[in-house]
Amino acid sequence: MSYDLNVPYEAAASCIKQLIKYGYTGAAITEQVSGKVKGTLNPKPLPFESAASLFSDTKLKQRAKGFKILRRVTVLLTDQREGYTLSGGSLNSFKKFDIVAVQPSTEKLLSQCVDKLDVDIVSLELTRRLPFYIKTAHFRQAKDRGVVFEVQYAPAIEDDSARRHTISNGQGLVRISKGHHLLLTSGASNGQFIRPARNVATLARLFGFTHAQAYASIDNSARQVLYHGEMRTCTNKGVLGVTRISELKPDEAWKVPKPTSALPKSTAVTLATTTSQTPTTNTPTQMTSAVSTASLVPATSATDTPHTPSSAKRAKQQGQQRPQSGGPSSKRKKKKQQKLQKLKQTR
């Protein structure tokens, strides 16, 4: 699953055409917004009817039918007050977008983005020298909240002057994050700067990625962003989500349980009448069996119950009945007494 989650709106047609040719699964068309947003922000209409309308070849048209187009908004933050529109219930103004990204301009805004704002991607202006330093604490907070940092590779191909800053800033991000929780996107201004996923993984070696980290930043990080955006838009604080049955897609019909086969009303009525008409009296066979079993059991009264003495009385009776016969100890005492008498007489 290869996604390009940063396709500018102005170059959407040419970029998506190249992405479909290179075998990408989907793309996100990006719109930039700055300042405070009042009310709900609706995404702009697509510059083309569908992805299949961009091709005349039948094979590419069939491939384009399964291509998924998402909508992304990137909010440019220049003041802390503007960040309140991206926290808590104020985020409803961007609920029609699949992905919400933010681009801070200061270190305080960056710490606010990774700590408090409910966003999916943190995008930085890597084509020039950053006015602040990025710390490992920022990556830790972003990792705990499921937010990823974005690295764009197209500026390193388009402009020679921006190539040096893009590569150096990208190497700094990879060094601090150790190559994890980073998202590789194109951000291309034209479709000719789009590259296949294999070439992007090779190009990522310039930023310091390993081969495995480069593929993970293309595939796994994109999947993480999509899941995070879905949890933000379709659930209440990532805990509970409610979807109407009419809004389910055809491949999600398994979520609706099948109705159990209930009895028709006519059979239910007949069963109710038959159960109400059954007598509660005992049948003759039951009466005869009860009488026969009762006659076999002997009747006992309160006077016939045997008396069982208690354990204390039983011990007394046994002590009285036991004969008091001299044992070996008494004989030894008598012999000692006789010896003592003989000694006294001899003295």
Side-chain angles (χ1 to χ4, degrees):
M1 186 182 77
S2 300
Y3 277 86
D4 189 358
L5 299 183
N6 189 2
V7 175
Y9 181 81
E10 294 77 10
S14 60
C15 290
I16 287 176
K17 191 174 182 179
Q18 290 293 329
L19 290 171
I20 294 172
K21 286 182 179 180
Y22 289 146
Y24 280 78
T25 309
I29 299 176
T30 304
E31 301 178 21
Q32 289 188 355
V33 178
S34 60
K36 292 184 179 181
V37 179
K38 296 181 180 180
T40 58
L41 182 65
N42 296 321
K44 297 178 182 179
L46 293 174
F48 48 87
E49 295 180 1
S50 63
S53 63
L54 298 173
F55 301 96
S56 59
D57 190 4
T58 55
K59 292 183 179 180
L60 293 175
K61 279 188 175 182
Q62 291 179 357
R63 188 187 299 178
K65 289 181 180 179
F67 191 81
K68 190 173 183 179
I69 297 176
L70 305 172
R71 306 308 299 268
R72 166 182 163 173
V73 59
T74 301
V75 182
L76 306 177
L77 292 181
T78 56
D79 189 5
Q80 290 186 353
R81 297 177 182 179
E82 299 174 358
Y84 291 110
T85 58
L86 296 168
S87 61
S90 301
L91 197 63
N92 293 329
S93 55
F94 303 103
K95 63 182 179 180
K96 293 187 179 181
F97 288 90
D98 300 311
I99 301 170
V100 177
V102 64
Q103 184 175 332
S105 58
T106 61
E107 186 176 356
K108 290 183 179 180
L109 291 173
L110 177 61
S111 60
Q112 182 185 9
C113 293
V114 298
D115 187 24
K116 298 180 181 179
L117 302 187
D118 193 2
V119 296
D120 306 318
I121 300 173
V122 175
S123 179
L124 300 174
E125 185 63 34
L126 302 181
T127 57
R128 59 184 180 180
R129 186 178 179 181
L130 294 176
F132 54 88
Y133 292 100
I134 303 173
K135 303 176 182 178
T136 56
H138 297 149
F139 277 93
R140 291 176 185 174
Q141 293 175 348
K143 178 183 176 182
D144 295 338
R145 302 182 68 247
V147 182
V148 299
F149 281 78
E150 181 183 18
V151 178
Q152 301 178 14
Y153 66 85
I157 304 173
E158 296 178 6
D159 192 3
D160 295 337
S161 61
R163 183 178 303 166
R164 182 171 58 88
H165 292 293
T166 302
I167 294 175
S168 62
N169 291 328
Q171 289 176 352
L173 289 175
V174 174
R175 184 177 62 254
I176 296 171
S177 64
K178 298 181 181 180
H180 301 290
H181 299 283
L182 293 176
L183 175 67
L184 273 173
T185 60
S186 65
S189 60
N190 196 349
Q192 62 181 352
F193 301 112
I194 298 292
R195 295 294 182 268
R198 292 183 179 179
N199 294 356
V200 174
T202 305
L203 184 63
R205 302 295 295 272
L206 295 174
F207 300 106
F209 286 98
T210 62
H211 190 70
Q213 290 174 353
Y215 275 101
S217 62
I218 299 171
D219 188 0
N220 298 341
S221 298
R223 189 184 292 111
Q224 179 183 349
V225 169
L226 295 179
Y227 288 159
H228 191 270
E230 187 176 358
M231 292 289 289
R232 177 180 47 80
T233 56
C234 301
T235 62
N236 183 13
K237 296 182 179 180
V239 178
L240 180 65
V242 180
T243 306
R244 295 181 180 180
I245 297 176
S246 59
E247 297 177 357
L248 290 176
K249 298 179 182 179
D251 57 346
E252 296 178 348
W254 59 271
K255 296 181 180 179
V256 181
K258 295 182 180 180
T260 57
S261 58
L263 293 173
K265 294 183 179 180
S266 59
T267 56
V269 171
T270 55
L271 287 173
T273 53
T274 53
T275 53
S276 62
Q277 292 177 1
T278 53
T280 58
T281 57
N282 295 326
T283 58
T285 56
Q286 293 175 350
M287 293 292 289
T288 54
S289 61
V291 171
S292 61
T293 53
S295 61
L296 294 174
V297 179
T300 57
S301 60
T303 57
D304 295 335
T305 57
H307 178 69
T308 57
S310 60
S311 59
K313 291 182 179 180
R314 193 180 301 167
K316 288 183 179 179
Q317 291 177 1
Q318 290 178 0
Q320 292 176 0
Q321 293 176 1
R322 183 177 296 174
Q324 296 180 358
S325 59
S329 60
S330 60
K331 291 180 179 181
R332 291 174 183 174
K333 289 179 181 180
K334 288 181 181 181
K335 287 182 179 181
K336 287 181 180 181
Q337 290 177 0
Q338 290 177 0
K339 288 180 180 180
L340 290 173
Q341 289 177 1
K342 287 180 180 181
L343 289 172
K344 288 179 181 181
Q345 291 176 1
T346 53
R347 290 178 183 177

